[in-house]
Amino acid sequence: IEMGFYRFLTPNQMVAALCQQVAEYPQTRDIHFWGRFPGEPLDSARERMELLSSRVLTPVRQKLASR
C-alpha cells in the first residue's frame, strides 16, 4: 500500500477516476479488476464485486454512453 500500487476510493471517486481515465486515454477498450485478492475470503470478494457492479460500473457506463 505504501508503494502506491493500490488506491482506496469511494464508489463516487472510482466513477470519476474511471471516466477521467477513459477521457484521457480514449484508446482504452478494457478495464480489468481483481475478482479476489490472494488470501481474501470469498465473502469479502463477493461484497466488493457487488459494490463495484452496482455503484461503479453502472454509473460509468451511463456517463460514457452520454458522451
Side-chain angles (χ1 to χ4, degrees), residues 4 24 27 32 39-40 48 53 60:
E24 290 178 12
Q27 68 273 25
H32 299 270
E40 180 180 18
R48 188 171 36 78
S53 174
V60 167

Side-chain angles (χ1 to χ4, degrees), residues 38-63:
E40 180 180 18
L42 288 174
D43 286 342
S44 173
R46 179 188 49 76
E47 289 174 10
R48 188 171 36 78
M49 295 307 290
E50 286 178 1
L51 178 73
L52 181 70
S53 174
S54 65
R55 302 222 9 235
V56 176
L57 297 181
T58 298
V60 167
R61 285 186 190 116
Q62 291 170 344
K63 288 179 184 285

Side-chain angles (χ1 to χ4, degrees), residues 9-30:
L9 305 171
T10 66
N12 289 340
Q13 290 171 323
M14 188 70 170
V15 169
L18 289 172
C19 289
Q20 179 180 351
Q21 179 178 340
V22 171
E24 290 178 12
Y25 303 97
Q27 68 273 25
T28 301
R29 294 288 178 244
D30 297 303

